[in-house]
Amino acid sequence: MPGKDFVLRTTPEETAAIADARIGDLAHRLARQLQQGTAPPASGDAAYPLTLLHVLDQLQQATERLQRQAATDAARAGAGYPQIGAACDMTRQGARRRWPGLFHHSNEKPTEHPTMTTPARPFDVLLVEDDIADAMLIEEALSERGARNLVQVTDGVAALEHLRTPGTVRPDLIVLDLNMPRMNGHDLLKILKTDEKLQAIPVVVLTTSTAPDDVTGAYTSHANAYVTKPVNLDAFEQAVQSIDAFYLDTATRPHP
């Protein structure tokens, strides 16, 4: 069951000492095998330490692959990002950034469930957002739900340039902020919903504004949904994932 307690049986220092000793021994043995000899290296000879460095690099890459698999296995066994992060001496957010996409989310508690299926192709999301911090949070929240091709632009002008560039993949969803330089979200939304080639793309306004005029104006311009950004980080993440779940998993999308 997700949410159960997971306890490590050794301290990080004890584990590190054991791991360093074992990896060091393994690396030396592999380096000597690659050199086809067991004699100790001559003083001033760079061949052996370079071979050892090569072996350690390969071990690091193998470790990263094994860590990803272990994180996936832990998620399927019921561990969440807090437990996975704790096992690697990092925060929940750090584990999420290092191994995105381990979980799908729902409105049920607990909200983390192992990813068992992969879509036929990654979903394409166009994020029109000029706030770097909010853009990073949105990207992280989307990455947890699976493969997403996220393109971020910082204003309406850049969004139209991207959408109208020949050969550009049509996004499955546009997430739109309102307050931006050059061309704001209100003006972009009006253009999108009157353009025959773009008007069928779902557009969700995600903004800090709770002003009634902004809400009414967005729906008058045919926004598909209006979502106010929560102040709480967990609530912000859940709001983004709810948008993603509905428009990319539940709703039937038009064919490109």
Side-chain angles (χ1 to χ4, degrees), residues 1-3 106-113 234-235 238:
M1 289 288 293
S106 72
N107 290 325
E108 300 172 350
K109 299 268 183 198
T111 58
E112 294 179 343
H113 301 278
D234 287 339
Q238 187 60 48

Side-chain angles (χ1 to χ4, degrees), residues 43-78:
S43 177
D45 183 4
Y48 181 81
L50 287 174
T51 301
L52 183 60
L53 185 63
H54 170 69
V55 169
L56 288 169
D57 178 67
Q58 295 300 314
L59 286 173
Q60 183 179 24
Q61 294 181 43
T63 299
E64 290 174 356
R65 291 192 295 269
L66 290 171
Q67 282 184 317
R68 171 73 194 194
Q69 184 58 55
T72 301
D73 291 344
R76 288 175 176 163

Side-chain angles (χ1 to χ4, degrees), residues 142-252:
L142 291 176
S143 70
E144 279 196 38
R145 299 199 68 253
R148 299 288 182 270
N149 289 331
L150 180 70
V151 173
Q152 184 213 348
V153 295
T154 56
D155 59 54
V157 174
L160 288 176
E161 289 175 350
H162 172 75
L163 290 166
R164 290 172 173 171
T165 298
T168 296
V169 176
R170 176 193 180 99
D172 298 290
L173 176 68
I174 297 175
V175 179
L176 175 64
D177 190 21
L178 289 183
N179 300 313
M180 296 177 294
R182 294 204 297 177
M183 180 188 291
N184 64 35
H186 288 294
D187 293 338
L188 175 60
L189 183 59
K190 292 175 183 177
I191 294 173
L192 291 174
K193 292 304 182 180
T194 55
D195 187 316
E196 292 184 357
K197 295 181 179 179
L198 303 174
Q199 62 188 196
I201 303 172
V203 179
V204 175
V205 173
L206 180 63
T207 182
T208 56
S209 175
T210 58
D213 288 347
D214 283 338
V215 178
T216 301
Y219 282 116
T220 300
S221 297
H222 306 293
N224 296 84
Y226 190 104
V227 179
T228 302
K229 294 176 181 176
V231 176
N232 177 274
L233 290 180
D234 287 339
F236 188 105
E237 176 186 282
Q238 187 60 48
V240 173
Q241 290 168 346
S242 296
I243 294 169
D244 183 84
F246 179 76
Y247 282 100
L248 300 184
D249 290 348
T250 304
T252 300

